[in-house]
Amino acid sequence: MKLGAGRVVFFGFVMVILLLSVTVTAADETEFQVESTNLQIYRDGVVRVTQTLIVNETVPAVTLLLLSSSANNFIVLDENQTVLDYEIGGTNLTVFTLGTTSVSLQYDTHSLTRKDFDVWTFLVDTPYNLTVQLPEESTVVYLSETPTSIDTEGNKITLSLFPSQW
């Protein structure tokens, strides 16, 4: 009889551990959600990255992956346009968000573009869906994959890209 009770206790213990690990995993997944990621490419090769995040207001900080390790000119605001504190570690940005429900992030980078003679190349490995706006009167010569959409507005081309290497 003791063997049966021991098995019940053991299986109960295993179930509690499994439930706790599922709860921790679910909590990690709901810290924040990237609502949008927009890239504006300028004629000089600078790329302005603008991201909007929906944040769990009970989480003290969120960490997200930057599209480049050489980024500058950071602006990090909450839903009230109040400046938020942040820390940069390599390609990770940690934003201190306790009490915040939305984060707006902007930064510049030169490392997503390269110029060979008169041809600019845009290179990115992204975990996010992107909207990329090219400079006025740009011509697309080559795409590594078929984008979700290609739109034009005036003299500007806008590409909608899914997570991948572009």
Side-chain angles (χ1 to χ4, degrees):
M1 196 68 173
K2 287 185 179 184
L3 184 61
R7 284 185 179 176
V8 170
V9 170
F10 174 76
F11 286 119
F13 181 74
V14 169
M15 291 302 291
V16 168
I17 296 298
L18 287 174
L19 287 173
L20 287 174
S21 66
V22 169
T23 304
V24 169
T25 302
D28 288 344
E29 293 175 353
T30 60
E31 287 181 2
F32 73 95
Q33 176 183 355
V34 177
E35 186 174 64
S36 66
T37 304
N38 300 310
L39 280 64
Q40 171 67 54
I41 303 176
Y42 294 99
R43 289 205 166 280
D44 62 356
V46 172
V47 178
R48 166 59 59 122
V49 178
T50 305
Q51 288 187 296
T52 304
L53 312 174
I54 303 301
V55 181
N56 180 340
E57 65 186 314
T58 63
V59 175
V62 297
T63 300
L64 77 146
L65 182 67
L66 298 173
L67 295 177
S68 169
S69 61
S70 61
N72 54 30
N73 300 331
F74 283 87
I75 301 172
V76 184
L77 305 172
D78 70 6
E79 65 274 7
N80 299 316
Q81 303 303 304
T82 303
V83 176
L84 296 173
D85 287 331
Y86 62 90
E87 290 179 355
I88 301 168
T91 57
N92 289 324
L93 176 77
T94 300
V95 181
F96 301 102
T97 60
L98 187 60
T100 301
T101 59
S102 176
V103 173
S104 174
L105 163 67
Q106 291 184 7
Y107 60 92
D108 296 331
T109 182
H110 287 87
S111 67
L112 298 179
T113 58
R114 164 180 100 223
K115 187 174 183 179
D116 297 312
F117 303 107
D118 288 337
V119 177
W120 281 98
T121 302
F122 170 67
L123 299 166
V124 67
D125 185 3
T126 178
Y128 313 114
N129 288 314
L130 301 178
T131 301
V132 180
Q133 189 173 49
L134 303 177
E136 286 188 14
E137 300 187 16
S138 295
T139 302
V140 176
V141 177
Y142 172 79
L143 293 168
S144 59
E145 298 189 49
T146 304
T148 306
S149 70
I150 302 174
D151 296 314
T152 58
E153 184 178 319
N155 294 333
K156 290 189 176 184
I157 298 172
T158 302
L159 306 172
S160 296
L161 308 178
F162 51 84
S164 186
Q165 291 182 341
W166 293 91

